Amino acid sequence: MPLLHYLDQGQGRPLVILHGLFGTLDNWQTLARRWATEAGLRVISVDLRNHGRSFQSKEHTYALMAQDVLALFDHLGLGPDASLMGHSMGGKVAMRFALDYPDRLARLLVLDIAPRFSDMQHQDDILEGLRAVPLATLESRQQADEAMARHIPQVGVRQFLLKNLYRREDNSFAWRINLDTLVDSMPAVGEETTAAHPFLKPTLFVRGGKSNYITAEDKLYGIPALFPNSQVETVVDAGHWLHAEKPEEVFRLVQAFVKQ
């Protein structure tokens, strides 16, 4: 089985970071470096399958992604003192890992995602925008941005997505994400997280105050049912991309929780 691409920095208690849909480990680099240098942690940032520089596969399920992370834990010799943190889709991978392999973790951190089902319709415009980029004839990133703008008006979202665009050796453009598989796998990405037994170890959910990914109902019912030893913190004035919008708050919350 191929190994996930990762970046390992710092020394101390391990913190493994999983990005969200269409993301890469690069999205976390500024904070990862700070947790490694200022917080004294060993920080392992990961590219999940079909993303970044990790392998591509026609299969994209949470059970398989959790197995990918388990293989990385084994490869790196991570013991039960590790913390696992995921944002959005990566948060669902982290939840699946904690529920399937609870003895491999000390604690779990989930950023702005709940265990419940999502129909993923909010991704339709993004998928249309990505598909609108004419890779075969593309001559510049500007041209790609213009093609996406017809479907995705938010500049910040386009800039985030364009980080997946790269030039091959023959100077043609390609996506690092496995776009075809991700399009086909949207129902699996939105599926509910369930388990026969809850994860009993300390768990931190962090939600953006302006985001609706974690609702009052999630806090009361959905989260405690699977993660009874959990707390939910809110980063005020942050949306779904809370680590990009409010890095200082996220830095402090994560550092305090992992080191307690």
Side-chain angles (χ1 to χ4, degrees):
M1 184 170 135
L3 200 63
L4 295 173
H5 175 251
Y6 67 93
L7 180 65
D8 189 349
Q9 54 191 332
Q11 293 176 321
R13 200 177 285 179
L15 170 65
V16 179
I17 303 176
L18 309 178
H19 61 78
L21 183 64
F22 309 126
T24 73
L25 64 79
D26 293 342
N27 305 147
W28 283 92
Q29 269 329 88
T30 305
L31 278 168
R33 208 163 20 242
R34 287 190 63 193
W35 284 315
T37 55
E38 295 173 41
L41 298 173
R42 178 187 178 188
V43 184
I44 298 122
S45 320
V46 180
D47 279 339
L48 292 166
R49 67 165 57 199
N50 294 317
H51 289 76
R53 289 174 169 77
S54 281
F55 62 89
Q56 300 203 346
S57 165
K58 285 194 171 3
E59 296 181 290
H60 195 82
T61 68
Y62 286 118
L64 287 171
M65 287 190 276
Q67 288 171 23
D68 296 341
V69 175
L70 179 66
L72 185 62
F73 268 61
D74 290 343
H75 173 76
L76 294 171
L78 297 179
D81 63 335
S83 297
L84 179 62
M85 177 171 73
H87 171 249
S88 202
M89 180 190 76
K92 281 201 163 176
V93 177
M95 286 189 257
R96 182 77 272 146
F97 183 95
L99 292 160
D100 288 352
Y101 315 108
D103 54 343
R104 298 301 297 265
L105 288 183
R107 57 199 67 217
L108 171 69
L109 302 92
V110 179
L111 269 58
D112 213 57
I113 195 78
R116 73 180 141 79
F117 167 79
S118 165
D119 64 17
M120 300 305 287
Q121 284 179 337
H122 58 285
Q123 299 289 350
D124 287 353
D125 291 345
I126 285 178
L127 294 173
E128 289 298 317
L130 289 166
R131 282 166 142 171
V133 176
L135 287 178
T137 57
L138 193 64
E139 293 179 356
S140 68
R141 302 182 79 81
Q142 176 67 28
Q143 196 184 342
D145 185 59
E146 288 165 5
M148 289 167 66
R150 292 194 283 275
H151 303 275
I152 307 167
Q154 307 95 327
V155 177
V157 174
R158 297 201 306 274
Q159 286 174 341
F160 164 73
L161 294 168
L162 283 167
K163 289 179 180 170
N164 289 295
L165 191 67
Y166 76 104
R167 273 193 193 272
R168 294 190 285 217
E169 285 182 9
D170 65 1
N171 230 22
S172 66
F173 281 96
W175 292 116
R176 288 207 189 279
I177 45 171
N178 184 350
L179 185 56
D180 291 341
T181 289
L182 293 178
V183 169
D184 293 342
S185 302
M186 277 300 130
V189 173
E191 77 178 17
E192 181 185 5
T193 303
T194 60
H197 304 285
F199 178 72
L200 301 175
K201 292 177 183 175
T203 303
L204 175 67
F205 282 78
V206 185
R207 61 180 288 274
K210 296 194 287 192
S211 169
N212 59 0
Y213 278 71
I214 295 179
T215 64
E217 196 171 329
D218 294 324
K219 288 165 71 173
L220 274 175
Y221 305 110
I223 289 170
L226 288 172
F227 306 99
N229 188 11
S230 63
Q231 61 198 84
V232 180
E233 297 282 352
T234 299
V235 176
V236 181
D237 288 337
H240 185 55
W241 301 99
L242 58 177
H243 53 295
E245 295 171 37
K246 296 283 182 180
E248 197 57 48
E249 287 85 341
V250 171
F251 174 81
R252 286 201 302 268
L253 277 170
V254 171
Q255 173 181 256
F257 184 74
V258 171
K259 298 199 79 166
Q260 74 186 16

